[in-house]
Amino acid sequence: MAVPRGADRDTTERVLTLLGLLQQRHVWTGPELADRLGVTARTIRRDVERLRTLGYPVHASHGVGGGYQLGPGQRLPPLLLDDEEAIATAVSLLAGAGGAVAGAGDAALRALTKLDRVLPTRLRHDVRALAGSVESFGGGRAPVDPEVLTTLARACRDEVETGFDYPSGREVRRRRVEPYRLVASDRRWYLLAYDLDRDDWRSFRVDRMTDVSARTWRFRPRTAPDAATYVQQGVASRAYPHQARFLVHASADTVRAQIPASAAVVQPRGSERCEVLSGGGTLDFVLMHVLLLGHDFEVLDPPELVTRCRELAERLLSAGAGIPPVRDKE
């Protein structure tokens, strides 16, 4: 495409501005548009015809309440977004790419790619940071401040140290980390990072962070665990005082449909079995939830849970010992 020059450039810029105005409001009168663009009503009519030639269905109506309005067309025309709208769109697309909307992941990623190609450089970096620094497990999640997400995503991309205030018990402490990935769970956003003060990998809830800032000090990336798996294991098991593993005699897809991603990690073990890792305040609590899935299962870990299963089985048998079994009616 040839680059517009002189008067042609002015016309192109004016027509694009007109398109942006038509996308902002349902109806504009001719005098309103002429006043906004600093041209005559006749020029507005010509520019509207130019948009129609390009395939934009611009409708005109007369009388009280009439004016120009952009209607639906046979195909989706390009949209004009300001900076804030572009970043908000990117964040929303990331939610779709992370599984918040069933079946929308691939389409959301394609839309992010297209958005990245046409954005100005100052915004393209932000969108790439968001797109390249996010992993996910599960579905829809609670909203967080897009500014915080953007800051963390940039830090992941640029490999720079990051600081934030984070609650620890009853205190709020400053944490210094090497950020690696943002991870979207079925309920919240998390940051997987190397905690410099604790000398180990940690996951942090983004909604609990305050005063988030990225430094200029760059770091060399360490060998990192799989981000989504690490965070999911932390949410489903490590966050609790007791953890347990089970071999469940049902497919992984079947069990995942029964257990929220934030409650257990489910890994396939063949086509008809899966391993379930979960945690809770007590082992009895974890055992009860696996039992209520309705599938045969085996305890893999910890050993004391095997003993507990036998104790509970004997108690259940004893509870029903004096009651005759119910027979099916013939």
Side-chain angles (χ1 to χ4, degrees):
M1 180 183 295
V3 178
R5 296 182 180 178
D8 290 339
R9 182 191 297 274
D10 294 339
T11 300
T12 300
E13 292 177 352
R14 188 179 65 248
V15 171
L16 288 175
T17 302
L18 173 61
L19 176 60
L21 291 173
L22 291 172
Q23 290 176 348
Q24 289 179 13
R25 211 167 81 183
H26 184 59
V27 178
W28 291 85
T29 66
E32 286 177 329
L33 292 172
D35 181 64
R36 282 293 191 102
L37 298 175
V39 295
T40 64
R42 183 178 180 182
T43 299
I44 292 296
R45 289 194 293 271
R46 288 177 177 174
D47 288 347
V48 165
E49 285 303 320
R50 291 186 176 98
L51 288 175
R52 289 170 176 163
T53 301
L54 293 172
Y56 293 92
V58 182
H59 304 306
S61 57
H62 302 285
V64 178
Y68 294 103
Q69 65 181 91
L70 189 63
Q74 299 299 318
R75 58 186 178 86
L76 183 65
L79 299 176
L80 298 180
L81 304 175
D82 60 27
D83 291 5
E84 292 182 356
E85 291 170 339
I87 295 299
T89 300
V91 173
S92 299
L93 287 171
L94 281 168
V101 182
D106 291 343
L109 288 175
R110 291 198 304 272
L112 270 174
T113 301
K114 292 178 180 179
L115 187 61
D116 178 67
R117 289 174 180 168
V118 300
L119 284 176
T121 301
R122 67 182 185 279
L123 298 182
R124 187 180 299 121
H125 290 321
D126 290 343
V127 173
R128 282 181 178 173
L130 286 166
S133 301
V134 173
E135 298 184 19
S136 68
F137 64 90
R141 60 202 58 88
V144 296
D145 186 351
E147 290 285 342
V148 174
L149 278 180
T150 303
T151 299
L152 295 173
R154 284 199 206 103
C156 292
R157 177 200 65 196
D158 297 338
E159 297 172 353
V160 294
E161 288 185 13
T162 304
F164 50 85
D165 293 337
Y166 199 78
S168 178
R170 297 183 178 180
E171 299 179 349
V172 176
R173 298 180 179 178
R174 191 69 180 172
R175 310 298 284 266
R176 298 184 308 114
V177 302
E178 296 176 354
Y180 177 64
R181 285 289 186 274
L182 283 167
V183 177
S185 80
D186 57 346
R187 299 170 62 185
R188 299 182 177 90
W189 287 89
Y190 295 86
L191 173 70
L192 174 63
Y194 192 85
D195 193 316
L196 295 171
D197 295 322
R198 288 158 178 77
D199 197 26
D200 199 2
W201 290 98
R202 291 286 191 275
S203 60
F204 302 92
R205 278 176 49 175
V206 175
D207 61 303
R208 290 182 173 178
M209 297 179 182
T210 55
D211 193 18
V212 180
S213 61
R215 303 178 59 191
T216 57
W217 184 264
R218 295 180 61 88
F219 61 86
R220 178 177 297 179
R222 307 168 188 265
T223 301
D226 179 79
T229 300
Y230 182 93
V231 173
Q232 188 186 14
Q233 289 177 348
V235 172
S237 63
R238 289 194 303 268
Y240 297 96
H242 299 280
Q243 297 84 38
R245 289 190 307 121
F246 305 88
L247 183 65
V248 178
H249 293 232
S251 69
D253 289 340
T254 298
V255 175
R256 285 184 183 130
Q258 296 178 281
I259 306 178
S262 58
V265 180
V266 181
Q267 299 291 343
R269 293 294 179 263
S271 60
E272 299 300 327
R273 299 191 302 176
C274 63
E275 183 176 313
V276 175
L277 171 65
S278 187
T282 66
L283 288 176
D284 283 0
F285 180 85
V286 182
L287 181 61
M288 176 190 69
H289 280 275
V290 176
L291 177 65
L292 294 178
L293 293 176
H295 311 296
D296 292 338
F297 67 93
E298 304 166 33
V299 176
L300 299 179
D301 195 59
E304 58 266 29
L305 188 55
V306 177
T307 303
R308 183 60 175 161
C309 284
R310 294 194 182 102
E311 293 174 354
L312 292 175
E314 292 175 0
R315 185 176 301 174
L316 290 171
L317 288 171
S318 175
I323 303 174
V326 178
R327 298 180 179 179
D328 296 334
K329 295 182 180 179
E330 296 182 358

